[in-house]
Amino acid sequence: MSTPKGPEDIGQLAAEVGRRFGLYHEQVDRLQTERTQENERLRADLGRLEAEIARVNQDNDRLRGVTSCWPPFAILPM
């Protein structure tokens, strides 16, 4: 863009700056919404995985005849 030469040019420049600023904020809002949705999806996945791990641990304990699985391994002397 060339150097503004009068009030009309400055007005057009200000309108373009405002338009781009608005587009920038729309993009930021969209990205924040997408990130929030992805975080919620990941939290839900984590909850499902934790529940599955707990179920598998209970199954393993039952099969081994163990009542507690913490700590998950014993530190044996060498």
Side-chain angles (χ1 to χ4, degrees), residues 7-23:
E8 187 176 299
D9 289 344
I10 292 173
Q12 289 175 353
L13 181 60
E16 181 65 15
V17 168
R19 185 185 73 78
R20 289 185 185 200
F21 194 66
L23 291 173

PDB file of all heavy atoms in Angstrom, residues 7-23:
ATOM      1  N   PRO A   7      -7.227  12.387   4.118  1.00  0.00           N
ATOM      2  CA  PRO A   7      -8.145  11.806   5.097  1.00  0.00           C
ATOM      3  C   PRO A   7      -8.843  10.544   4.579  1.00  0.00           C
ATOM      4  O   PRO A   7      -9.075   9.609   5.340  1.00  0.00           O
ATOM      5  CB  PRO A   7      -9.162  12.908   5.363  1.00  0.00           C
ATOM      6  CG  PRO A   7      -8.531  14.169   4.894  1.00  0.00           C
ATOM      7  CD  PRO A   7      -7.533  13.782   3.847  1.00  0.00           C
ATOM      8  N   GLU A   8      -9.159  10.521   3.288  1.00  0.00           N
ATOM      9  CA  GLU A   8      -9.830   9.341   2.726  1.00  0.00           C
ATOM     10  C   GLU A   8      -8.908   8.125   2.770  1.00  0.00           C
ATOM     11  O   GLU A   8      -9.326   7.030   3.143  1.00  0.00           O
ATOM     12  CB  GLU A   8     -10.269   9.629   1.292  1.00  0.00           C
ATOM     13  CG  GLU A   8     -11.120   8.519   0.726  1.00  0.00           C
ATOM     14  CD  GLU A   8     -11.636   8.866  -0.654  1.00  0.00           C
ATOM     15  OE1 GLU A   8     -12.371   9.868  -0.782  1.00  0.00           O
ATOM     16  OE2 GLU A   8     -11.301   8.117  -1.583  1.00  0.00           O
ATOM     17  N   ASP A   9      -7.644   8.320   2.405  1.00  0.00           N
ATOM     18  CA  ASP A   9      -6.671   7.223   2.465  1.00  0.00           C
ATOM     19  C   ASP A   9      -6.487   6.736   3.902  1.00  0.00           C
ATOM     20  O   ASP A   9      -6.404   5.532   4.156  1.00  0.00           O
ATOM     21  CB  ASP A   9      -5.320   7.658   1.899  1.00  0.00           C
ATOM     22  CG  ASP A   9      -5.348   7.836   0.387  1.00  0.00           C
ATOM     23  OD1 ASP A   9      -6.305   7.349  -0.257  1.00  0.00           O
ATOM     24  OD2 ASP A   9      -4.415   8.460  -0.133  1.00  0.00           O
ATOM     25  N   ILE A  10      -6.417   7.670   4.833  1.00  0.00           N
ATOM     26  CA  ILE A  10      -6.247   7.308   6.246  1.00  0.00           C
ATOM     27  C   ILE A  10      -7.477   6.550   6.733  1.00  0.00           C
ATOM     28  O   ILE A  10      -7.375   5.560   7.459  1.00  0.00           O
ATOM     29  CB  ILE A  10      -5.963   8.551   7.104  1.00  0.00           C
ATOM     30  CG1 ILE A  10      -4.579   9.092   6.731  1.00  0.00           C
ATOM     31  CG2 ILE A  10      -6.049   8.229   8.590  1.00  0.00           C
ATOM     32  CD1 ILE A  10      -4.229  10.408   7.363  1.00  0.00           C
ATOM     33  N   GLY A  11      -8.649   6.978   6.312  1.00  0.00           N
ATOM     34  CA  GLY A  11      -9.889   6.285   6.671  1.00  0.00           C
ATOM     35  C   GLY A  11      -9.910   4.872   6.131  1.00  0.00           C
ATOM     36  O   GLY A  11     -10.316   3.930   6.825  1.00  0.00           O
ATOM     37  N   GLN A  12      -9.476   4.694   4.884  1.00  0.00           N
ATOM     38  CA  GLN A  12      -9.420   3.352   4.295  1.00  0.00           C
ATOM     39  C   GLN A  12      -8.400   2.480   5.030  1.00  0.00           C
ATOM     40  O   GLN A  12      -8.642   1.301   5.285  1.00  0.00           O
ATOM     41  CB  GLN A  12      -9.076   3.436   2.807  1.00  0.00           C
ATOM     42  CG  GLN A  12     -10.196   3.984   1.962  1.00  0.00           C
ATOM     43  CD  GLN A  12      -9.782   4.166   0.502  1.00  0.00           C
ATOM     44  OE1 GLN A  12      -8.622   4.000   0.145  1.00  0.00           O
ATOM     45  NE2 GLN A  12     -10.753   4.528  -0.342  1.00  0.00           N
ATOM     46  N   LEU A  13      -7.276   3.082   5.360  1.00  0.00           N
ATOM     47  CA  LEU A  13      -6.248   2.353   6.099  1.00  0.00           C
ATOM     48  C   LEU A  13      -6.775   1.927   7.473  1.00  0.00           C
ATOM     49  O   LEU A  13      -6.601   0.786   7.892  1.00  0.00           O
ATOM     50  CB  LEU A  13      -4.997   3.227   6.249  1.00  0.00           C
ATOM     51  CG  LEU A  13      -3.821   2.598   6.981  1.00  0.00           C
ATOM     52  CD1 LEU A  13      -3.336   1.335   6.264  1.00  0.00           C
ATOM     53  CD2 LEU A  13      -2.683   3.609   7.110  1.00  0.00           C
ATOM     54  N   ALA A  14      -7.459   2.825   8.157  1.00  0.00           N
ATOM     55  CA  ALA A  14      -8.023   2.509   9.473  1.00  0.00           C
ATOM     56  C   ALA A  14      -9.063   1.403   9.353  1.00  0.00           C
ATOM     57  O   ALA A  14      -9.125   0.499  10.196  1.00  0.00           O
ATOM     58  CB  ALA A  14      -8.636   3.751  10.098  1.00  0.00           C
ATOM     59  N   ALA A  15      -9.882   1.438   8.312  1.00  0.00           N
ATOM     60  CA  ALA A  15     -10.885   0.396   8.101  1.00  0.00           C
ATOM     61  C   ALA A  15     -10.217  -0.951   7.872  1.00  0.00           C
ATOM     62  O   ALA A  15     -10.662  -1.980   8.398  1.00  0.00           O
ATOM     63  CB  ALA A  15     -11.784   0.766   6.924  1.00  0.00           C
ATOM     64  N   GLU A  16      -9.155  -0.964   7.092  1.00  0.00           N
ATOM     65  CA  GLU A  16      -8.434  -2.216   6.822  1.00  0.00           C
ATOM     66  C   GLU A  16      -7.779  -2.754   8.095  1.00  0.00           C
ATOM     67  O   GLU A  16      -7.815  -3.952   8.361  1.00  0.00           O
ATOM     68  CB  GLU A  16      -7.388  -1.995   5.726  1.00  0.00           C
ATOM     69  CG  GLU A  16      -6.589  -3.221   5.352  1.00  0.00           C
ATOM     70  CD  GLU A  16      -7.435  -4.325   4.714  1.00  0.00           C
ATOM     71  OE1 GLU A  16      -8.579  -4.073   4.304  1.00  0.00           O
ATOM     72  OE2 GLU A  16      -6.927  -5.468   4.646  1.00  0.00           O
ATOM     73  N   VAL A  17      -7.186  -1.872   8.885  1.00  0.00           N
ATOM     74  CA  VAL A  17      -6.582  -2.298  10.156  1.00  0.00           C
ATOM     75  C   VAL A  17      -7.662  -2.886  11.064  1.00  0.00           C
ATOM     76  O   VAL A  17      -7.475  -3.944  11.670  1.00  0.00           O
ATOM     77  CB  VAL A  17      -5.850  -1.118  10.837  1.00  0.00           C
ATOM     78  CG1 VAL A  17      -5.487  -1.454  12.277  1.00  0.00           C
ATOM     79  CG2 VAL A  17      -4.610  -0.740  10.048  1.00  0.00           C
ATOM     80  N   GLY A  18      -8.808  -2.223  11.149  1.00  0.00           N
ATOM     81  CA  GLY A  18      -9.909  -2.723  11.966  1.00  0.00           C
ATOM     82  C   GLY A  18     -10.408  -4.072  11.487  1.00  0.00           C
ATOM     83  O   GLY A  18     -10.690  -4.968  12.290  1.00  0.00           O
ATOM     84  N   ARG A  19     -10.522  -4.227  10.175  1.00  0.00           N
ATOM     85  CA  ARG A  19     -10.975  -5.495   9.603  1.00  0.00           C
ATOM     86  C   ARG A  19     -10.001  -6.616   9.953  1.00  0.00           C
ATOM     87  O   ARG A  19     -10.395  -7.685  10.409  1.00  0.00           O
ATOM     88  CB  ARG A  19     -11.106  -5.365   8.082  1.00  0.00           C
ATOM     89  CG  ARG A  19     -11.691  -6.600   7.407  1.00  0.00           C
ATOM     90  CD  ARG A  19     -11.694  -6.459   5.894  1.00  0.00           C
ATOM     91  NE  ARG A  19     -10.356  -6.587   5.321  1.00  0.00           N
ATOM     92  CZ  ARG A  19      -9.725  -7.747   5.126  1.00  0.00           C
ATOM     93  NH1 ARG A  19     -10.284  -8.865   5.480  1.00  0.00           N
ATOM     94  NH2 ARG A  19      -8.531  -7.766   4.591  1.00  0.00           N
ATOM     95  N   ARG A  20      -8.734  -6.360   9.774  1.00  0.00           N
ATOM     96  CA  ARG A  20      -7.724  -7.392  10.068  1.00  0.00           C
ATOM     97  C   ARG A  20      -7.660  -7.709  11.565  1.00  0.00           C
ATOM     98  O   ARG A  20      -7.474  -8.845  11.951  1.00  0.00           O
ATOM     99  CB  ARG A  20      -6.354  -6.959   9.547  1.00  0.00           C
ATOM    100  CG  ARG A  20      -6.300  -6.988   8.041  1.00  0.00           C
ATOM    101  CD  ARG A  20      -4.944  -6.674   7.515  1.00  0.00           C
ATOM    102  NE  ARG A  20      -4.967  -6.590   6.064  1.00  0.00           N
ATOM    103  CZ  ARG A  20      -3.907  -6.698   5.319  1.00  0.00           C
ATOM    104  NH1 ARG A  20      -2.706  -6.862   5.876  1.00  0.00           N
ATOM    105  NH2 ARG A  20      -3.995  -6.616   4.009  1.00  0.00           N
ATOM    106  N   PHE A  21      -7.814  -6.686  12.391  1.00  0.00           N
ATOM    107  CA  PHE A  21      -7.827  -6.895  13.831  1.00  0.00           C
ATOM    108  C   PHE A  21      -9.017  -7.780  14.213  1.00  0.00           C
ATOM    109  O   PHE A  21      -8.903  -8.684  15.032  1.00  0.00           O
ATOM    110  CB  PHE A  21      -7.883  -5.542  14.546  1.00  0.00           C
ATOM    111  CG  PHE A  21      -7.562  -5.607  16.003  1.00  0.00           C
ATOM    112  CD1 PHE A  21      -6.292  -5.958  16.432  1.00  0.00           C
ATOM    113  CD2 PHE A  21      -8.523  -5.299  16.952  1.00  0.00           C
ATOM    114  CE1 PHE A  21      -5.977  -6.012  17.782  1.00  0.00           C
ATOM    115  CE2 PHE A  21      -8.222  -5.344  18.302  1.00  0.00           C
ATOM    116  CZ  PHE A  21      -6.951  -5.706  18.723  1.00  0.00           C
ATOM    117  N   GLY A  22     -10.165  -7.518  13.598  1.00  0.00           N
ATOM    118  CA  GLY A  22     -11.348  -8.335  13.833  1.00  0.00           C
ATOM    119  C   GLY A  22     -11.131  -9.780  13.393  1.00  0.00           C
ATOM    120  O   GLY A  22     -11.511 -10.723  14.091  1.00  0.00           O
ATOM    121  N   LEU A  23     -10.510  -9.973  12.234  1.00  0.00           N
ATOM    122  CA  LEU A  23     -10.215 -11.317  11.747  1.00  0.00           C
ATOM    123  C   LEU A  23      -9.256 -12.040  12.687  1.00  0.00           C
ATOM    124  O   LEU A  23      -9.409 -13.230  12.965  1.00  0.00           O
ATOM    125  CB  LEU A  23      -9.620 -11.263  10.333  1.00  0.00           C
ATOM    126  CG  LEU A  23     -10.572 -10.825   9.219  1.00  0.00           C
ATOM    127  CD1 LEU A  23      -9.794 -10.652   7.906  1.00  0.00           C
ATOM    128  CD2 LEU A  23     -11.711 -11.809   9.060  1.00  0.00           C
TER     129      LEU A  23
END
